[in-house]
Amino acid sequence: MEEKNIRLLDSQFASFLARRSQLAGRERKQFQELVCRLSVGLAAGDSYLPVTNGEEDLVIRSGLAGAADKPLCVVEKCLYMQRDYEYEQSLAQNIRALLLHSVEMTAEESLLDALFGSVETNETDWQKIAAKRALQQNFLIVSGGPGTGKTTTVVKILALLQSASRKQLRIALAAPTGKAAKRLQDSINSSVQELSVPESIKESIPGTASTLHRLLGVRRHSPFFHHNAKNPLFFDLLVIDEASMVDLALMAKLVAALKPGSRLILLGDKDQLASVESGTVLADMIGSLPGNTVELQKSYRFDKGIKRFAHAINTGDATSAWSLMLGGLPENVSLLEGDVAVYGGEMYCKYMEAVGEITSIDDFKGLFQVFHSFKILCALRHGPAGVSGINAAVEKFLTGKGFDCFGTEWYPGRPVIITRNEYSLDLYNGDMGICLPDPENPDSIKVWFERTDGSFQGVLPGRIGSCETVYALTIHKSQGTEVGEVLVVLPEKESTLVTRELLYTAVTRARTSVKVSSSRNVFDCAVAEKIDRHSGLGKRLVGK
């Protein structure tokens, strides 16, 4: 383990447990190093640390493992934090219960044909297969890359299940972030209007989506939620979009909060980044439960050039991916030759001009659309090629173009991202807003956030506890968003933090155009580097 990967938190936590162990001398030092490695692994997304027979024996003799009230748990040469082991156990048990108690519904074949078409072709209709499995099972995963029609498919599935049910199903739609929930909501509402079903069925499909935290009910200053196994959600059917972003702890709490007999549908792209926190939940489920998974493979709207580029990255073909950027075909995939701050600043000049044209709250929607039409996505947070360096450089560029971004911290047009949950304001980590004068009181400036219902919430800057400027944001923070043009910025030197999944996620945020700022060597290393996390969930799902 490299010294540079060890945080102060890791070393202090390891020292804390070592002092409370029953070990002494050299064994205590070995135990401390072991716990430090575990802590580093957890920060990297692992659920456990593989250990040897001798290390397993050392942990047992420490007196800090082997019971539910102990902080550690060691099982079959896997060292867990007790809470993570319990999350894996709980999630696996509850998923298996969903599978065991599945109730099959029946629907008329004519309805299936009306929703999915009846034309016989040699091509497999995976959307129709997903719908049939949704009728048969209480748990379904619909996986697929961008543009493969996951939300379109799930809207048809909701209509099908609602038609097949003896009573009207209570349905909830949710996603990990506010932006992802808004995208899901907009996609659902757009697709519902095209359904070939009675109006009563259309009206029974919810038109709003929420974040998972809002769905479960946040308890301030607590890791627990209002809804849990003892106080379950009252919904009959729950649909979760962007499921790859959901970590082990949150997924365990979510599934535990389902009421008996309810159905769960997860939507997600298994090739995207795993959750920031520990676990590879969606990938583990897909790998262990093929009978409950349908992967959509045909792309309906994703740009072919971007699709080819993303596919080359996803398959580890750095040579082809690099050639696509240099070849000029497709035209919308290219390598940025110039300075990131100059190109990004020029793009944001259009946005700042739109800020100056705002006269009423009715103009906010159009401004947010302009802001979300372009994003700079960085692999890292710090350094000249990181979020902090590029945000500062873009602000400097804009000021040079006549937009004063340094006269005050809260200047009109400053885009911000929330970095810590603000429960009292109903704002959550990852929500993005724009600093603008209050149309009803021009002397007062507020930060405006677009809500899932399409309205705008203005918050006085002094009430926001933690936020950052967001001309550039990390690729992790961009998950759940969809942008017109994306500029992907990789660091100046190779880093094990920059992986194939990270690059694929960044590229697939774009609808129309992708530019990449990188050297050949850094790009090749990123495509070659794959995320490999330790997780025991897959084995537990199949009863091992």
Side-chain angles (χ1 to χ4, degrees), residues 116 124-134 136 140 293-294:
F116 295 94
T124 303
D125 188 343
W126 292 106
Q127 292 191 359
K128 198 168 188 178
I129 289 174
K132 289 180 178 180
R133 290 195 184 176
Q136 298 163 354
L140 176 68
T293 302
V294 176

Side-chain angles (χ1 to χ4, degrees), residues 354-364 437-440 442:
V355 169
E357 297 172 358
I358 295 295
T359 59
S360 73
I361 200 167
D362 294 333
D363 300 325
F364 283 10
D438 186 346
E440 296 181 358

Side-chain angles (χ1 to χ4, degrees), residues 307-325 500 503-504 520 523-530:
K307 182 182 177 182
R308 284 171 59 199
F309 187 49
H311 178 73
I313 292 169
N314 196 35
T315 55
D317 190 351
T319 301
S320 294
W322 188 263
S323 297
L324 285 170
M325 289 193 290
R500 182 185 305 177
L503 190 54
Y504 172 84
R520 176 66 188 268
F523 183 84
D524 286 356
C525 289
V527 174
E529 188 76 31
K530 277 188 64 68

Side-chain angles (χ1 to χ4, degrees), residues 84-98 139 246-256 258 264 266 280-282 284-285 289 537 540-541:
D84 292 324
Y85 176 72
E86 290 176 355
Y87 285 144
E88 274 194 0
Q89 289 280 78
S90 167
L91 179 55
Q93 289 171 2
N94 286 324
I95 290 293
R96 291 205 305 271
L98 272 176
F139 178 60
V246 185
D247 60 71
L248 174 64
L250 183 55
M251 188 66 82
K253 293 170 186 176
L254 171 72
V255 177
L258 297 176
L264 175 64
L266 302 181
T280 52
V281 177
L282 183 66
D284 287 343
M285 288 180 172
L289 303 172
L537 178 62
R540 300 189 199 290
L541 285 169

Side-chain angles (χ1 to χ4, degrees), residues 20-38:
R20 282 154 181 78
S21 73
Q22 298 173 6
L23 304 171
R26 182 168 166 272
E27 286 193 330
R28 176 182 287 189
K29 185 177 180 180
Q30 290 175 334
F31 175 75
Q32 183 172 333
E33 292 174 351
L34 196 62
V35 174
C36 189
R37 284 166 48 203
L38 171 63

Side-chain angles (χ1 to χ4, degrees), residues 156-175:
K156 295 177 181 180
I157 288 174
L158 296 182
L160 186 67
L161 292 176
Q162 199 70 272
S163 301
S165 176
R166 295 178 181 177
K167 62 174 184 176
Q168 182 166 309
L169 298 173
R170 292 168 294 190
I171 302 171
L173 310 172

Side-chain angles (χ1 to χ4, degrees), residues 115 152 155-156 159 191-198 201-202 205:
L115 289 168
T152 302
V155 166
K156 295 177 181 180
S191 299
V192 162
Q193 303 309 316
E194 301 175 4
L195 291 178
S196 303
V197 294
I201 297 297
K202 293 182 182 180
I205 297 174

